[in-house]
Amino acid sequence: MASRTPDPVDALLKTGPRRVTLPEPAQRERLRTAYGLSRSEVADALGVARTTVASWESGRSEPQGAPRAAYARLLDGIAAQLAGQTDDAQPETPAQESAPQTAPSDWSEQPAAQPSRPRPDTAAHHDAESVTGPRFTNGPLAVLDGDGNAYCPGGIVLDYTTADLPSLVNWALTQAHLGAPRLHRHGKDADPLLVLTATAAARLGLPAELEDRRGLRLPDNHPVVRQLTRAKWQLTRRGFGPWPRIYRPAHDGRRQCVQLAILPWGALDSRAWQNADQLPAPELAQALGDFAARVIVPRGSTAVCGLELMTALRPPTRPVKDPATGTWTSGPNPGALTQAVDPAPPEAPDEHPVVTAVHPRGHQRTPAEVLDEEAFEWIRDPEQLTDDECAKPFAVGIDVNMAFAAAANRLTVGLGAPVHVRHPRFDKKVPGSWLVDLSHIPIDPRLPNPFTPHGQRPEGPAWYSTPTVAYATELGYDPQPLEAWLRPDHGPYLDAWYTRLRDAYLATMELLGVTTGMNEQDFLTAMAQHKDADPAQSIVLCAIKATVKGGIGKLRERPQGAGYRPGERWPALERPTWRPDIRAAVIAAARVNMHRKMLKLAATGLYPVAVLSDCAVYLSDGPSPLDVLPYAPDGKPLPGGFRLGVSPGMVKHEGTRSLMWAVKMLDEGHNPARHIKGADAAAAGE
């Protein structure tokens, strides 16, 4: 019997649909990052390049054929699992800070809101809704103008008809359908963020600027604040300022909290967000949405975001089942900062009660009384410049990428209160503060001394963080501590924080045309042009960098306000994340990393003339870092030294000036590393 020829139509139908629907590009990235996947992991699973996944998430290209079907299946599975997490019947994690954070974060019972005016690609919008579920269809935030338009990431535009703030808050919670999934299964979903332009603020009855320039908040008797009070909405203790948080206690297991950002009041600081507040509302919504997808939904300054990200990735509590009763209660989350603890006396700033209880007001603490782990600011004595160095016509600055983030990676820090020990044996695995004399360790004067921020030799016993003392052992010395404040409960608390910020940084740099794996010349060329490649992504990049530095700085937040008196406690001390010892450990690790690389170059005869934090200036025969950085005999970068590249811990070109300019700066006592880029690098956030 002759075999039957297969029907070609049947054959096509058996292959299944090829034009499977996908969520919009911005939502693809939100799903991936919420699930904790890197672009490389997705690319490997789908058999494509990492840059291809980046193009799909930015909307520059669309997957086709078999990869499209597999990509849709992956995103659909991620969305289903994330929805399953948020619908978990376990109790929410109670927060440790302000009142609105005590409300549960499951918005699954909120009515689904549809955009009053959908984006042009309506089909793509509905596809995204079917994948992500009904809770956060419109993304994490909206930028409002005075004409009733609310612009969301991905081109979505909503209508809001309210002209008073209580009604707007209700709209955000019941109709706008804004928010973002939690970053950790024991954490909280992000509250809706409404960004008010000047015209939107005026529409709601808010003044064009705050009269209280010191407190930066509306007075309690302002009509808008009274409106909120009458409607039984509450404000956090920071009041109604540039970043007010408006909330009610949780109701029926649902959070009721909305975050505002008021642009005319300076919510987006130009040092971190450049000119973001001048962008058209749709472009600002996309830039803020990109930051939210890669880092965190903004909740305040970038410093606040950096600190909030730590808590979002390692929540302080988790649900624990009582075996006796079968009920769920809140318990500490292993590996997290679970409660506020007082610092050891040498770790505390001068205003702290543990210091004022010991020293009289105005007392200048010595290195043997205070931990002084700060970044390098050092210049070499110009008299030490050799004839060979003076024959080099150029001064070239190199800058470490994301130096503080790189230092946080795999860093063991204390999780609990310090324990005082006398004459301990040094153990580099135990985080803490050590009183030890490192002044006898010889360091070439052409290098900064690694044991002081100013780079000069210490004069006797001083307090150091564990990474600094560990570096002394690395140099071949056996430190003999006199006493120490140690933290036996410890762990890699900042690892997840580093990983998320690293991925956000690399993803943004990739969109700006700078990728990992570039050869050095291509990298330098791309870096010279990257800030002009996409102004909005350049803004996101600046904000990511500021989040790193600001978050580390916030670990040691000082008291604010003219009414403060030394010895009084201030609000930041009640946070589990007020931890000056962790800040000191990160900065010490960054300074040690910098010195270790400079020491490698010194072995080849290269010595810096100036160092400022993560920037070092070397004299060179040519204007490029390629003219100054040494290479191994096989032509590869010197192992353990500075290496050009985009990854955190690698270096980029900071700037080039003439030898005479650098010598003049040194003669006048100025730091060339601060100005080699053409401005004050520290003030510019470098």
Side-chain angles (χ1 to χ4, degrees):
M1 185 185 218
S3 61
R4 182 183 175 188
T5 303
D7 186 331
V9 174
D10 288 342
L12 286 177
L13 289 174
K14 287 179 180 178
T15 64
R18 295 182 182 178
R19 291 300 301 170
V20 292
T21 55
L22 291 171
E24 59 183 292
Q27 183 63 21
R28 300 168 195 174
E29 183 175 36
R30 279 198 292 269
L31 286 168
R32 175 181 60 77
T33 55
Y35 199 68
L37 294 176
S38 68
R39 283 201 179 102
S40 296
E41 289 175 307
V42 173
D44 290 343
L46 301 180
V48 298
R50 182 177 181 276
T51 52
T52 300
V53 177
S55 295
W56 294 347
E57 291 182 348
S58 67
R60 292 192 304 242
S61 67
E62 285 291 314
Q64 304 296 333
R68 183 182 181 91
Y71 191 37
R73 187 159 55 91
L74 173 66
L75 295 177
D76 193 36
I78 290 174
Q81 291 196 35
L82 291 176
Q85 284 185 6
T86 55
D87 290 336
D88 196 327
Q90 292 184 354
E92 291 297 324
T93 299
Q96 303 294 309
E97 297 183 24
S98 57
Q101 295 183 349
T102 62
S105 56
D106 187 359
W107 289 86
S108 58
E109 298 180 33
Q110 289 281 3
Q114 302 297 329
S116 302
R117 190 167 62 246
R119 57 175 298 195
D121 187 0
T122 308
H125 171 62
H126 291 313
D127 293 342
E129 184 177 341
S130 67
V131 172
T132 61
R135 292 180 307 131
F136 306 134
T137 305
N138 297 323
L141 58 93
V143 178
L144 278 56
D145 66 15
D147 297 323
N149 302 308
Y151 298 90
C152 305
I156 298 171
V157 185
L158 311 178
D159 289 326
Y160 75 97
T161 58
T162 59
D164 65 90
L165 197 52
S167 299
L168 181 67
V169 172
N170 280 322
W171 171 83
L173 294 175
T174 60
Q175 299 177 48
H177 221 232
L178 300 171
R182 63 196 73 182
L183 299 182
H184 187 282
R185 65 187 300 264
H186 299 317
K188 300 178 294 295
D189 296 335
D191 300 316
L193 169 62
L194 301 181
V195 182
L196 306 186
T197 61
T199 55
R203 173 183 172 128
L204 295 167
L206 296 172
E209 62 180 28
L210 287 172
E211 294 182 4
D212 180 3
R213 303 309 301 167
R214 183 182 295 275
L216 287 178
R217 62 177 60 192
L218 280 182
D220 293 340
N221 62 355
H222 190 277
V224 170
V225 177
R226 294 208 304 250
Q227 284 177 1
L228 291 170
T229 302
R230 285 196 300 268
K232 301 190 183 307
W233 289 104
Q234 301 177 47
L235 296 168
T236 60
R237 59 187 172 192
R238 66 183 176 186
F240 202 110
W243 287 92
R245 191 174 294 178
I246 303 169
Y247 73 97
R248 284 175 181 158
H251 179 68
D252 291 336
R254 292 181 292 171
R255 268 177 79 80
Q256 299 185 92
C257 183
V258 173
Q259 177 74 64
L260 302 185
I262 304 175
L263 297 184
W265 297 358
L268 297 181
D269 190 326
S270 61
R271 292 170 296 181
W273 289 98
Q274 298 179 341
N275 64 337
D277 59 350
Q278 303 300 314
L279 291 175
E283 295 179 24
L284 176 59
Q286 189 59 53
L288 291 173
D290 288 343
F291 180 87
R294 295 170 204 164
V295 183
I296 194 172
V297 180
R299 305 177 188 179
S301 67
T302 49
V304 169
C305 291
L307 202 67
E308 292 273 2
L309 181 62
M310 296 178 195
T311 301
L313 293 170
R314 290 193 185 274
T317 59
R318 64 171 180 169
V320 177
K321 193 171 186 178
D322 186 332
T325 64
T327 59
W328 290 92
T329 58
S330 291
N333 188 21
L337 303 180
T338 60
Q339 60 182 348
V341 296
D342 276 343
E347 298 165 350
D350 291 343
E351 308 92 339
H352 197 283
V354 302
V355 177
T356 58
V358 177
H359 299 293
R361 186 172 182 178
H363 173 75
Q364 295 295 315
R365 289 190 286 173
T366 67
E369 296 171 329
V370 61
L371 179 70
D372 186 25
E373 294 284 18
E374 299 294 342
F376 274 132
E377 183 165 3
W378 170 86
I379 61 173
R380 201 197 313 172
D381 184 345
E383 296 294 328
Q384 294 178 345
L385 295 177
T386 66
D387 291 342
D388 286 343
E389 287 177 318
C390 291
K392 298 180 183 294
F394 297 101
V396 177
I398 54 175
D399 181 78
V400 179
N401 302 320
M402 301 274 283
F404 293 127
N409 185 29
R410 297 192 297 272
L411 180 67
T412 300
V413 300
L415 301 177
V419 176
H420 188 240
V421 184
R422 291 196 177 276
H423 300 289
R425 182 172 181 81
F426 176 68
D427 185 349
K428 66 180 181 181
K429 296 181 180 179
V430 179
S433 301
W434 311 76
L435 180 61
V436 59
D437 190 352
L438 303 178
S439 62
H440 61 286
I441 300 178
I443 300 293
D444 192 306
R446 291 172 292 179
L447 289 172
N449 190 292
F451 307 124
T452 61
H454 48 70
Q456 304 303 315
R457 185 172 182 165
E459 297 180 352
W463 285 97
Y464 301 101
S465 189
T466 295
T468 301
V469 187
Y471 188 55
T473 67
E474 187 178 321
L475 295 176
Y477 296 89
D478 183 19
Q480 302 293 324
L482 302 174
E483 59 178 300
W485 288 90
L486 306 180
R487 286 176 165 80
D489 182 16
H490 52 261
Y493 174 72
L494 294 172
D495 273 10
W497 185 80
Y498 161 77
T499 299
R500 185 161 179 87
L501 287 165
R502 176 203 64 194
D503 290 349
Y505 168 75
L506 290 177
T508 308
M509 291 298 289
E510 188 169 347
L511 293 174
L512 291 169
V514 186
T515 61
T516 57
M518 279 182 157
N519 68 52
E520 292 178 323
Q521 185 56 64
D522 288 346
F523 167 72
L524 290 173
T525 301
M527 284 298 295
Q529 305 166 352
H530 80 287
K531 290 188 177 179
D532 299 322
D534 185 330
Q537 292 303 317
S538 181
I539 289 172
V540 176
L541 178 66
C542 183
I544 291 170
K545 292 180 179 180
T547 299
V548 173
K549 289 194 174 182
I552 296 299
K554 201 79 170 170
L555 291 167
R556 190 178 182 254
E557 183 177 357
R558 307 292 283 270
Q560 302 173 21
Y564 175 77
R565 294 293 180 269
E568 297 175 353
R569 297 187 69 84
W570 59 96
L573 301 186
E574 311 312 319
R575 295 193 315 244
T577 50
W578 192 85
R579 290 295 300 274
D581 57 299
I582 296 180
R583 173 189 177 273
V586 172
I587 294 176
R591 195 181 67 244
V592 164
N593 289 345
M594 192 78 177
H595 195 274
R596 186 182 291 113
K597 290 178 170 61
M598 291 189 291
L599 194 61
K600 286 287 185 181
L601 266 64
T604 70
L606 283 173
Y607 294 87
V609 297
V611 182
L612 178 68
S613 188
D614 45 14
C615 176
V617 176
Y618 286 86
L619 301 181
S620 171
D621 291 321
S624 168
L626 296 175
D627 298 315
V628 65
L629 294 179
Y631 292 82
D634 59 3
K636 295 181 180 179
L638 182 71
F642 294 112
R643 182 174 180 178
L644 289 167
V646 68
S647 296
M650 300 176 78
V651 298
K652 62 181 181 293
H653 184 204
E654 179 73 357
T656 297
R657 296 291 191 102
S658 70
L659 167 72
M660 297 308 298
W661 173 87
V663 171
K664 183 174 184 293
M665 293 286 287
L666 293 173
D667 284 339
E668 294 175 352
H670 300 307
N671 193 323
R674 182 180 295 277
H675 303 283
I676 198 164
K677 195 174 184 177
D680 187 326
E686 292 295 332

